[in-house]
Amino acid sequence: MRNASLRTHLSHALLVIGCLLHWVVARLSELWGRDPSLWVFGARSGEAFADNAKYLYLHVASTHPEIRPVWLSKDRAAVRDLRERGYEAHHVHSPRGVYLNLRAGAVLVTHGLRDVNLWCSGGAKAVMLWHGTALKHVSWDAHFPDEPLPVRLAHGYTHRTLDLVTVTAESMVPVFASAFRIDPARIVATGYPRNDALFEPTPGAEIGIDQSVHRRVERLAAEHTVLLYLPTFRDSSESTALDVLDLPALGGLLERHDAYLLVKSHPNEAIDPDAVPSERVVPLPETADSHLLLPYADALISDYSSVVFDYLLLDRPVVFYAHDLEEYRDERGFYFEYEDVTPGPVARSSPAFLRSIERVLAGADPYADERARVRERFCHTDENRSEAVYEAAWRLLPPAPSKPADSSLASRLQRFGD
C-alpha cells in the first residue's frame, strides 16, 4: 500500500512538472518550428503498441507516404519489433525519441500526452484518439474532481491543449465535451481506427503480440463455438474476472455444447491459469489484442466495457453479466441508462448468467433488432475509419514549410537527435 501511494505521488508530481515544461516548450517551439509531416504516436502511457494509435499508425505508414509516422514507447521490445519490420520507432526517452517529439507537428495518443513525452509535445497539434465508447463516467465526470488541486489544474491544462478528439458517433460528442471540459467543436465523429481490423487484416497488427495465443484462438474458432469474456477492471476490487463465475457449472455447460470460453482480463489485472479448473475456460494474457480476437468470437460476454460497442459492428450476440450493477452505478456512474444500451440479456446472478449462456449456445438470438438500434446510436458504420481520422488530423496542420523557421537552431536539434 505504501509503495502504491508513493507511485501515485510520483506520478502526480511528474504530471505537474510535465505540464509546466509543456507550456515552456510550446513557446520555444516557435523558434525551431515543427514539421507538419512528422507525426508521433503512443498508447497506454508508453507501455504498449496497442489500441487506436496502433491501428492509425499502421494505416498511415502503409498508405500515406507524405507523412513520417514514428512510434514512441517505453517498451524496448515493441520498439525492436517495429524496427525489425521496417517501421520507425524509438524509446520515448532516447535522444532520438526526444528530438522527434520536439519536432513533430502532430502527437496522436490514446490515453493522454504521457503516452509519448508530455513536455516535448508543447506546440504540436494534439490528437486524442481515446480508447473506448464512454458508457461509464470518465475523466472529469469520474475521479478527476477528487484529485489534489495541482493535479486537477494539470489535467485541465492537458485537456485544453487537445486540438482534436475522435469519437465513434455524434452521440458521444456531448459526453466527451463533459468528460474533458472542452469545446464540442474540437470533437469529431470519425469512428475508431481499431475497428477497421474487425473486417479485414491490418498489415503489422501482429507486431508486439504473442502470436501463439492468436493462432490458438484461431484454431479453436475453426472447430468449436467460442465465447469471449472481456470484463471491466474495477479500481476498488481485488477479485479477478473469474471470481464471479461458477467455473465447475460453466465448464460442464461448455463441454455439453463443445464450446470454449476465452477470458481476457484488463491490462491492470492478471489471471492465474492454474486457478482455472476447466480446460473449457481459457485465460488469455492481458497483453493480447482484443480487436484481433473479436472476429473469432461467436458471442461476447461483458459487463460495462465499451468493447461491446465495437463488437456490435459484427452483429453477433452479446451477454451482459452485471452482478454488481447498483454498486458500480453508485461508485462510477453511467452517461446513459444501462438498461437502454445493453442489447442482450443482462444477468445479475451466476444462475441467470448460465441460463443466458445456454440460450446463446443453443442458437437463440432474439436481440438482433436491439443491437441494430444501439449500433445506429453509438457506432460509426462507414468503412475505413482510419482514413477518416487521418483526414481530420491532417486538416489541423499547415502546409509543410520548405525549411524550419530557424535553421540554425533546427540544425543543432538535429545533431542532438542523431
Side-chain angles (χ1 to χ4, degrees), residues 240-257:
T240 71
L242 296 182
D243 293 335
V244 297
L245 302 179
D246 183 345
L247 292 175
L250 179 59
L253 174 61
L254 295 168
E255 181 78 32
R256 291 194 297 275
H257 289 272

Side-chain angles (χ1 to χ4, degrees), residues 36-102:
S37 65
L38 172 60
W39 294 10
V40 297
F41 297 75
R44 295 182 186 171
S45 299
E47 300 292 345
F49 182 55
D51 221 291
N52 287 312
K54 164 184 175 176
Y55 288 97
L56 183 61
Y57 169 83
L58 294 171
H59 172 77
V60 171
S62 65
T63 62
H64 287 286
E66 71 277 12
I67 299 298
R68 178 185 176 186
V70 178
W71 188 268
L72 299 182
S73 177
K74 300 173 186 175
D75 186 341
R76 297 185 186 278
V79 169
R80 183 190 63 246
D81 291 346
L82 283 164
R83 287 178 172 178
E84 289 176 351
R85 292 289 297 273
Y87 296 96
E88 186 171 5
H90 302 281
H91 191 281
V92 68
H93 297 310
S94 68
R96 190 66 173 168
V98 169
Y99 164 71
L100 292 172
N101 206 158
L102 286 168

Side-chain angles (χ1 to χ4, degrees), residues 52 127-134 164-177 179-180 182 184 186-193 195 377-381 385 388-389 392:
N52 287 312
V127 180
M128 171 62 79
L129 304 170
W130 201 239
H131 52 277
T133 301
L164 181 70
V165 178
T166 60
V167 295
T168 57
E170 292 295 336
S171 61
M172 286 291 104
V173 171
V175 166
F176 279 90
F180 291 166
I182 62 173
R186 284 188 273 164
I187 305 172
V188 59
T190 57
Y192 282 159
N195 286 335
R377 183 179 179 187
F378 291 102
C379 300
H380 192 283
T381 56
R385 300 156 188 84
V389 175

Side-chain angles (χ1 to χ4, degrees), residues 11-267:
S11 176
H12 286 170
L14 291 175
L15 173 63
V16 173
I17 294 170
C19 287
L20 293 172
L21 292 174
H22 181 284
W23 184 89
V24 173
V25 169
R27 278 125 194 96
L28 292 177
S29 66
E30 296 175 2
L31 299 177
W32 64 72
R34 285 186 174 271
D35 182 354
S37 65
L38 172 60
W39 294 10
V40 297
F41 297 75
R44 295 182 186 171
S45 299
E47 300 292 345
F49 182 55
D51 221 291
N52 287 312
K54 164 184 175 176
Y55 288 97
L56 183 61
Y57 169 83
L58 294 171
H59 172 77
V60 171
S62 65
T63 62
H64 287 286
E66 71 277 12
I67 299 298
R68 178 185 176 186
V70 178
W71 188 268
L72 299 182
S73 177
K74 300 173 186 175
D75 186 341
R76 297 185 186 278
V79 169
R80 183 190 63 246
D81 291 346
L82 283 164
R83 287 178 172 178
E84 289 176 351
R85 292 289 297 273
Y87 296 96
E88 186 171 5
H90 302 281
H91 191 281
V92 68
H93 297 310
S94 68
R96 190 66 173 168
V98 169
Y99 164 71
L100 292 172
N101 206 158
L102 286 168
R103 288 284 291 121
V107 174
L108 302 101
V109 296
T110 63
H111 288 66
L113 291 178
R114 288 190 287 180
D115 292 353
V116 285
N117 198 322
L118 169 59
W119 69 270
C120 291
S121 302
K125 296 297 184 181
V127 180
M128 171 62 79
L129 304 170
W130 201 239
H131 52 277
T133 301
L135 168 59
K136 54 183 178 287
H137 287 165
V138 297
S139 298
W140 285 106
D141 297 328
H143 49 276
F144 282 3
D146 298 326
E147 302 283 12
L149 176 59
V151 178
R152 297 201 305 272
L153 292 174
H155 284 308
Y157 173 80
T158 59
H159 285 163
R160 286 194 300 275
T161 66
L162 296 176
D163 296 283
L164 181 70
V165 178
T166 60
V167 295
T168 57
E170 292 295 336
S171 61
M172 286 291 104
V173 171
V175 166
F176 279 90
S178 172
F180 291 166
R181 294 186 178 176
I182 62 173
D183 185 346
R186 284 188 273 164
I187 305 172
V188 59
T190 57
Y192 282 159
R194 68 189 189 187
N195 286 335
D196 289 339
L198 299 177
F199 302 100
E200 60 182 32
T202 300
E206 71 283 358
I207 297 174
I209 65 172
D210 185 345
Q211 295 186 45
S212 66
V213 172
H214 290 265
R215 286 194 293 269
R216 183 186 182 192
V217 172
E218 185 176 11
R219 290 194 299 270
L220 285 175
E223 300 176 2
H224 310 275
T225 299
V226 167
L227 309 180
L228 182 59
Y229 181 30
L230 300 175
T232 298
F233 175 73
R234 290 156 174 78
D235 296 323
S236 59
S237 175
E238 296 182 358
S239 63
T240 71
L242 296 182
D243 293 335
V244 297
L245 302 179
D246 183 345
L247 292 175
L250 179 59
L253 174 61
L254 295 168
E255 181 78 32
R256 291 194 297 275
H257 289 272
D258 190 25
Y260 285 82
L261 177 70
L262 311 181
V263 183
K264 180 188 174 299
S265 61
H266 188 277

